[in-house]
């Protein structure tokens, strides 16, 4: 009998450090991974993000839609942050967690910092992501981890990841091989 993937215990896979991921963290990260598959099905690069308040309330979720919109800043993390009423929710964001299917890029890490989120959980790390992006002619990015960006923050930002990386990689394998 197969179990519900949202209720499976989280595990660190071969590419991830041994991290004990809380069941709620695993469920929200798996939702971000599902959103990444939604992005890919719509012709966008497969990235998803979910922002969750400390009390467990989902504040926003989004996927990458820069191919559909032509907006180079329409990454999943930025889209999710844009959906939050910053005036009403600003105080809640300091205790919130942003779950991202892939490691936030430099731009997204900056948006996370400026948005006031102080905890990030991500699936697939940037190094593994670059392996897929290399399949695209002329692809490149700023090779800086989100941890490096957050290390410059005057406020501590907790980063957990990569975790559930094999699950987070699946939408990329499908997208980039098409």
């Amino acid at each position: 009998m197969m179990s519900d993937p949202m209720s499976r215990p989280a595990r660190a896979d071969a590419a991830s450090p041994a991290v004990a991921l809380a069941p709620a963290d695993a469920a929200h990260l798996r939702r971000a991974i599902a959103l990444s598959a939604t992005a890919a099905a719509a012709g966008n690069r497969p990235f998803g993000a979910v922002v969750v308040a400390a009390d467990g309330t989902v504040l926003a979720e989004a996927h990458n839609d820069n191919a559909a919109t032509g907006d180079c800043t329409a990454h999943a993390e930025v889209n999710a942050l844009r959906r939050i009423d910053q005036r009403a929710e600003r105080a809640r964001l300091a205790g919130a967690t942003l779950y991202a299917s892939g490691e936030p890029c430099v731009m997204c890490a900056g948006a996370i910092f400026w948005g006031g989120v102080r905890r990030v959980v991500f699936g697939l790390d940037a190094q593994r992501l670059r392996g897929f992006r290399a399949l695209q002619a002329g692809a490149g990015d700023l090779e800086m981890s989100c941890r490096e960006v957050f290390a410059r923050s005057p406020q501590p930002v907790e980063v957990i990841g990569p975790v559930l990386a094999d699950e987070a990689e699946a939408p990329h394998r499908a997208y980039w091989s098409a």
Side-chain angles (χ1 to χ4, degrees):
M1 175 167 91
M2 288 194 68
S3 64
D4 175 9
M6 297 303 271
S7 65
R8 283 194 319 245
R11 64 172 177 78
D13 54 43
S16 300
V19 173
L21 197 59
D25 285 337
H28 293 305
L29 181 54
R30 286 188 172 112
R31 175 63 184 148
I33 294 167
L35 288 164
S36 74
T38 300
N44 297 288
R45 291 181 183 156
F47 294 96
V50 179
V51 182
V52 180
D55 66 5
T57 303
V58 174
L59 300 174
E61 57 181 41
H63 60 74
N64 179 19
D65 65 357
N66 58 3
T69 64
D71 179 356
C72 65
T73 68
H75 291 196
E77 299 91 333
V78 173
N79 287 342
L81 290 167
R82 285 179 177 151
R83 291 186 175 154
I84 299 169
D85 181 347
Q86 293 288 321
R87 293 165 301 197
E89 301 289 351
R90 186 78 176 173
R92 293 181 84 188
L93 288 175
T97 299
L98 187 141
Y99 298 89
S101 62
E103 181 175 356
C105 71
V106 172
M107 176 186 71
C108 292
I112 291 164
F113 165 77
W114 288 111
V117 175
R118 297 298 178 247
R119 184 170 184 262
V120 174
V121 177
F122 70 84
L124 192 58
D125 65 274
Q127 187 171 350
R128 276 174 84 174
L129 284 167
R130 283 187 198 101
F132 290 104
R133 287 186 50 97
L135 301 173
Q136 180 185 20
D141 62 42
L142 296 172
E143 293 188 13
M144 181 182 288
S145 76
C146 70
R147 282 182 175 87
E148 291 175 85
V149 175
F150 295 138
R152 303 288 184 164
S153 168
Q155 304 294 322
V157 178
E158 179 184 8
V159 179
I160 299 170
V163 289
L164 305 179
D166 289 343
E167 292 177 44
E169 186 178 286
H172 286 275
R173 281 194 306 270
Y175 176 84
W176 294 102
S177 66

